[in-house]
Amino acid sequence: MKTQLTLDLEKTLYAYWQEQGATVVEEVTMPDDRGIVDTLVRQKQQDATIWRCFELKVTKADFHSSAKLSFIGHYNYFVLPQRLYTAVASEIPHGIGVFTYHPFSKAAIAASAVPVVTPGTLTIAKPARRQELQVPEATLTDHFIASLNREVVKAKQVAKGLGQFSEADLFTELKKRSADYDIYHPDKNLYDQFVSELDNTTINALQEEIDALNAELATVKMDTSK
């Protein structure tokens, strides 16, 4: 599960490279057990393609994790909160760059005259040194496209909403949410809220039918009394 800070870094980094005209995708699995790139950026420069890999870290424990660092691109970077970068700056490997994240304050967001679309901003604290690709470019491109397709599928699923799920799937999800059923406050439980709304909808529909029948009956009585 990603922390909110990780999500903020990810969103800001995505927007940063989108503004540069690059193509971005998160969580790209590399071939030959080369790990998973947190964010992979593909950028066209004249007749060349530049690949940039980013590892997002938000705590010292995260930074010192045994998880494989997938620095297989032409340029490779850590993305760190400023405070974490200050603490681990001496541990950054030679040739690896660093983007530092600076969150916007709520006051700054409220005072902004234009819409704020990211939770913060990024600064290049340490430039990366170019290296040769560590995997074949054709293979990297295939994995990049597969990850983009995964995101398209996820977006389409969201657009379809609950209609894409079977009744069995919906029932299973409803049961999961009953694990912490509060018998003393039923109004807080999803199931009871659903049943209550369903009952209200049914009652309203029946009342509309009754009103319509009463209106027809009144019309008939008026016609027969003439």
Side-chain angles (χ1 to χ4, degrees):
M1 182 69 71
K2 296 179 181 179
T3 66
Q4 185 58 53
L5 180 54
T6 300
L7 293 171
D8 289 347
L9 265 67
E10 189 176 83
K11 183 176 182 179
T12 305
L13 182 64
Y14 186 93
Y16 177 93
W17 286 105
Q18 284 278 300
E19 290 179 1
Q20 308 301 316
T23 308
V24 189
V25 69
E26 290 89 11
E27 298 179 0
V28 183
T29 302
M30 291 294 99
D32 303 324
D33 195 31
R34 299 301 297 266
I36 300 175
V37 178
D38 285 346
T39 298
L40 182 59
V41 174
R42 180 180 183 272
Q43 187 178 32
K44 295 293 290 184
Q45 291 186 352
Q46 298 178 348
D47 296 329
T49 299
I50 304 299
W51 294 92
R52 303 177 192 270
C53 297
F54 296 85
E55 292 285 344
L56 282 60
K57 306 293 183 182
V58 296
T59 65
K60 275 191 176 181
D62 194 15
F63 182 82
H64 292 132
S65 168
S66 59
K68 189 182 295 292
L69 296 174
S70 301
F71 288 142
I72 51 79
H74 292 116
Y75 296 94
N76 304 279
Y77 307 82
F78 282 109
V79 183
L80 312 171
Q82 178 61 49
R83 181 177 297 179
L84 179 58
Y85 176 55
T86 301
V88 302
S90 62
E91 302 178 53
I92 304 296
H94 177 72
I96 303 302
V98 177
F99 276 59
T100 53
Y101 172 73
H102 310 270
F104 295 133
S105 68
K106 292 183 178 179
I109 293 175
S112 176
V114 297
V116 179
V117 296
T118 61
T121 186
L122 295 169
T123 299
I124 302 176
K126 180 177 181 287
R129 177 167 294 186
R130 185 184 172 105
Q131 68 174 15
E132 294 299 318
L133 280 180
Q134 302 299 296
V135 297
E137 185 165 14
T139 304
L140 182 58
T141 300
D142 286 343
H143 284 250
F144 186 75
I145 292 173
S147 296
L148 286 173
N149 181 70
R150 178 200 65 213
E151 296 303 307
V152 170
V153 171
K154 286 165 58 177
K156 286 189 174 183
Q157 287 176 337
V158 171
K160 290 179 181 177
L162 295 178
Q164 65 187 303
F165 298 102
S166 67
E167 290 183 1
D169 290 334
L170 293 173
F171 184 68
T172 298
E173 288 301 315
L174 194 58
K175 286 176 64 178
K176 287 180 182 178
R177 286 159 175 76
S178 67
D180 300 318
Y181 192 89
D182 188 345
I183 60 175
Y184 299 106
H185 302 91
D187 58 310
K188 295 182 179 179
N189 298 305
L190 177 62
Y191 178 79
D192 287 316
Q193 292 175 26
F194 174 75
V195 171
S196 176
E197 184 171 335
L198 187 63
D199 287 343
N200 289 336
T201 301
T202 302
I203 291 171
N204 289 337
L206 290 174
Q207 186 61 55
E208 289 177 1
E209 289 187 21
I210 292 173
D211 291 343
L213 289 172
N214 284 335
E216 290 183 11
L217 180 59
T219 300
V220 170
K221 285 182 176 179
M222 290 180 62
D223 290 340
T224 56
S225 63
K226 293 179 180 179

